[in-house]
Amino acid sequence: MNTSGKLFINNRRLWSWMRASVLSIGAFSIGVYYERKCHLYADVVAPGPTTTTTTLNIGTHGDDVIDSPKPSLHGSGSSNNHMAQISRFGFPSMDSLRSYRNFLLSYDRRNRIANWVLEYVTNDDLNADDYNRKGIEFREDQSFHRYFRSTNQDYKGSGYDRGHLAAAGNYRNNPEHIKETYVLSNIAPQIGRGFNRDKWNDLEKYCRRKIRELKSSSGLWICTGPLYLPQKDAVSGKKFIHYEVIGHNHVSVPTHFFKVLLYPGHNGQWFMECFLMPNQIINDKTSIHSYRVDPEIIERSAGILLFNQIPRHQLLINP
Amino acid sequence: MNTSGKLFINNRRLWSWMRASVLSIGAFSIGVYYERKCHLYADVVAPGPTTTTTTLNIGTHGDDVIDSPKPSLHGSGSSNNHMAQISRFGFPSMDSLRSYRNFLLSYDRRNRIANWVLEYVTNDDLNADDYNRKGIEFREDQSFHRYFRSTNQDYKGSGYDRGHLAAAGNYRNNPEHIKETYVLSNIAPQIGRGFNRDKWNDLEKYCRRKIRELKSSSGLWICTGPLYLPQKDAVSGKKFIHYEVIGHNHVSVPTHFFKVLLYPGHNGQWFMECFLMPNQIINDKTSIHSYRVDPEIIERSAGILLFNQIPRHQLLINP
């Protein structure tokens, strides 16, 4: 045992150090708060991601801990609270994370679209006297290196819509919040008629109906993302993943999308609904409920864990 | 301005708090060091990833900073130094990072194989009286959730070799270090004859030749990983990514692999060599040098940045 080891076996000193640590970590956070206060809401018109410091453990043992580190988010008071609320039940993963005002986003730099987007939407977000999206332009996410960004040019002439992951319609009470959802890292190539403008839109409307049914004190957590599902070759019996890429930057066109809802019931019960839809023209008469799946299917395919800080047996799934 | 704002405008108090912070953050780190010391080298026989705490900034502005955060790695002294050396010129990315004794690994939970593996290999690592890999078994990486792990069963009957990313032959001076490379997160499905056992093996041997040519005080950095490159459909002109997945866990079979070497020359110059090979049978007569490419091709395709803490113009690329 070396000298520093002996030092800490002395319990009194250890406690003295720990006391000092606890006190001053608090002080440090307040310092950060003070420093950030000046900059945080500076760029309202073209909001980029807010500056966020995350401390995470990597490489520890125990599966659930590793695959969903709980970052401690520091930021302005209100922003911090909102991020804590969004991520209350865990992060699906920690890859290239960006925190916006109303959603958290994990980016897939190889595929040039998000891995997932996580939202927390309340009744307040939906209250609007006049809701207008006209004139809002899609813009590149400048926070990613130009090698990994998607651009409007990539989508041009591709035949695909620029489909929202965090839906613009979820933030109709604040034009700035709507604008924020137009960042291209929150956008994925979607079939337009029959999907983005129809059945997928129905699913987004369904989320808002659920929010309106909730008590005003609560909101709805939504996790949305792309999937690249394999198909079996009839002749060889082998499985292949096959998807298009568009534009100069090779933006991936997902084969499917998922959307998972989490919300509290009226008697302390929690509900989770898991939707998986093909990025195809879907017959208008098909019920969105026929696209509900077991969460494990989404989790395995997307490489993420869904709201995994709630034990799965405590959830009513696809009620 | 609120009350806490006023509090900190008082400069003396601010400095008092900041002094306390700085002091005790140090204390906290030492506490972490003490705590970790007991566990770090506990599992030598079946080494898992060492426990590492990483502090990174996410969502800051400025491309290069965001896409290659420099984590401060804490661990035992020697492990810490080695990790610092491996990552001296930056991390290609920060997704699901694992730190092993001789390599750092970023895992792609969706594809069940690594995004990249980063090594630093010296002449010492290659010195061995008797080098023997017989009897070493491939093992699952228990540090990942079972949904995202590849297993030996996935490879069985697939027709693909379990190909090393960090090569076992780079660590022939220590049987435990060889063993460590047999973790399945360091393995990818590779064509056996004509690739893994031939041309790819030639490339690994080329790396070791380069190491032996270096001054004993220096080593070679190697970044290795899979690629999923698109192909143009002759009829539609559209581009598609198409690759096989094997086993129950759908382990991806990359279309290509890359290996990038970084090493110092004799007069202060740095060299980078970038190889990109198709996961196919390659004619034995083809020179490995015909597979050298511009680093940007690998960076864009893999979604990573290579040794980006050295300004690119200061590197002699593919000399």
Side-chain angles (χ1 to χ4, degrees), chain B residues 89 210 213-221 261-273 310 314-316 319:
Chain B
F89 301 109
K210 281 283 161 198
E213 285 169 24
L214 292 169
K215 281 187 284 189
S216 63
S217 61
S218 184
L220 179 76
W221 285 264
L261 285 58
L262 180 84
Y263 53 93
H266 286 283
N267 46 9
Q269 181 65 61
W270 284 85
F271 296 94
M272 184 157 87
E273 294 185 59
I310 306 179
Q314 288 179 18
L315 287 173
L316 262 181

Side-chain angles (χ1 to χ4, degrees), chain B residues 87-155:
Chain B
S87 61
R88 184 170 154 198
F89 301 109
F91 284 82
S93 68
M94 284 295 295
D95 315 38
S96 292
L97 203 64
R98 293 290 182 275
S99 101
Y100 293 84
R101 275 155 218 258
N102 286 297
F103 55 92
L104 287 170
L105 182 147
S106 161
Y107 196 68
D108 178 350
R109 303 197 301 182
R110 187 175 51 219
N111 283 310
R112 333 294 190 203
I113 63 173
N115 288 305
W116 51 262
V117 173
L118 188 60
E119 304 168 78
Y120 174 73
V121 193
T122 64
N123 260 302
D124 284 349
D125 293 311
L126 304 183
N127 289 333
D129 292 332
D130 55 339
Y131 164 56
N132 193 348
R133 291 163 57 162
K134 280 204 182 107
I136 303 181
E137 281 175 14
F138 293 94
R139 64 184 190 288
E140 292 178 29
D141 191 333
Q142 303 283 342
S143 79
F144 290 102
H145 192 285
R146 64 186 169 85
Y147 286 178
F148 314 132
R149 262 180 242 161
S150 67
T151 66
N152 286 313
Q153 195 59 34
D154 291 324
Y155 284 86

Side-chain angles (χ1 to χ4, degrees), chain A residues 56-62 66, chain B residues 36-44 46-54 73-84 86 96-105 139 141 143-144 177 180 183 185:
Chain A
L56 72 155
N57 287 307
I58 51 168
T60 51
H61 291 278
I66 292 160
Chain B
R36 295 266 159 85
K37 210 175 153 57
C38 312
H39 306 292
L40 209 62
Y41 283 126
D43 46 358
V44 172
T50 57
T51 304
T52 308
T53 300
T54 300
L73 292 158
H74 309 291
S76 87
S78 69
S79 165
N80 188 11
N81 287 345
H82 194 65
M83 287 304 111
I86 288 178
S96 292
L97 203 64
R98 293 290 182 275
S99 101
Y100 293 84
R101 275 155 218 258
N102 286 297
F103 55 92
L104 287 170
L105 182 147
R139 64 184 190 288
D141 191 333
S143 79
F144 290 102
H177 291 182
E180 197 170 48
V183 68
S185 49

Side-chain angles (χ1 to χ4, degrees), chain A residues 1-19, chain B residues 30-31 34:
Chain A
M1 180 127 339
N2 64 18
T3 324
S4 65
K6 273 182 194 153
L7 184 75
F8 280 94
I9 280 170
N10 181 328
N11 264 344
R12 208 183 297 172
R13 276 206 204 180
L14 174 64
W15 281 110
S16 150
W17 275 94
M18 284 180 74
R19 218 167 34 232
Chain B
I30 297 170
Y34 173 74

Side-chain angles (χ1 to χ4, degrees), chain A residues 36-294:
Chain A
R36 295 263 161 89
K37 206 172 156 58
C38 312
H39 307 293
L40 206 64
Y41 284 126
D43 48 356
V44 172
V45 180
T50 56
T51 304
T52 307
T53 301
T54 300
T55 308
L56 72 155
N57 287 307
I58 51 168
T60 51
H61 291 278
D63 291 351
D64 288 339
V65 176
I66 292 160
D67 283 300
S68 61
K70 181 75 183 168
S72 54
L73 292 157
H74 309 290
S76 86
S78 69
S79 166
N80 188 11
N81 289 344
H82 194 64
M83 287 304 112
Q85 183 69 336
I86 288 179
S87 62
R88 183 169 157 199
F89 301 109
F91 285 81
S93 68
M94 283 296 294
D95 316 38
S96 292
L97 203 63
R98 293 290 182 275
S99 100
Y100 292 84
R101 276 156 217 258
N102 286 297
F103 54 93
L104 287 170
L105 181 148
S106 161
Y107 195 68
D108 178 352
R109 303 196 302 181
R110 187 173 53 220
N111 284 309
R112 333 292 191 206
I113 63 172
N115 288 305
W116 51 262
V117 173
L118 188 58
E119 304 168 77
Y120 174 72
V121 192
T122 63
N123 259 302
D124 284 348
D125 293 311
L126 305 182
N127 289 333
D129 290 333
D130 56 338
Y131 163 57
N132 193 349
R133 292 163 56 164
K134 279 205 182 106
I136 303 180
E137 282 173 16
F138 292 94
R139 64 185 189 286
E140 291 178 28
D141 191 333
Q142 304 282 343
S143 79
F144 291 101
H145 191 286
R146 63 186 170 87
Y147 287 178
F148 314 132
R149 261 180 244 162
S150 66
T151 66
N152 285 314
Q153 194 60 34
D154 292 324
Y155 283 86
K156 211 169 180 177
S158 71
Y160 293 100
D161 275 14
R162 289 168 290 189
H164 281 78
L165 297 175
N170 290 353
Y171 305 102
R172 49 187 73 200
N173 78 325
N174 185 328
E176 295 305 332
H177 291 182
I178 296 173
K179 263 190 195 169
E180 198 170 47
T181 65
Y182 278 71
V183 68
L184 283 172
S185 49
N186 181 46
I187 300 299
Q190 292 187 328
I191 293 282
R193 209 172 299 170
F195 187 75
N196 181 39
R197 305 173 210 172
D198 296 294
K199 197 48 69 186
W200 185 254
N201 191 34
D202 290 348
L203 181 54
E204 292 179 343
K205 283 181 191 164
Y206 176 77
C207 292
R208 290 193 281 273
R209 270 209 304 283
K210 282 283 163 198
I211 295 161
R212 291 200 182 94
E213 285 170 23
L214 292 169
K215 280 187 283 188
S216 63
S217 62
S218 184
L220 179 76
W221 284 264
I222 312 172
C223 186
T224 310
L227 293 170
Y228 309 89
L229 298 189
Q231 285 192 307
K232 203 176 208 163
D233 182 77
V235 180
S236 66
K238 293 179 177 179
K239 288 179 194 163
F240 292 91
I241 287 175
H242 183 80
Y243 57 92
E244 192 178 348
V245 295
I246 58 170
H248 173 69
N249 293 305
H250 291 170
V251 182
S252 296
V253 182
T255 63
H256 295 71
F257 288 92
F258 69 86
K259 202 178 263 296
V260 176
L261 285 58
L262 179 83
Y263 53 92
H266 286 283
N267 46 9
Q269 181 65 60
W270 284 85
F271 297 94
M272 184 156 86
E273 294 185 59
C274 307
F275 295 91
L276 192 168
M277 279 188 186
N279 190 11
Q280 292 168 6
I281 297 172
I282 294 176
N283 189 312
D284 201 43
K285 282 172 189 154
T286 315
S287 157
I288 57 166
H289 283 81
S290 63
Y291 292 101
R292 296 208 294 194
V293 297
D294 191 273

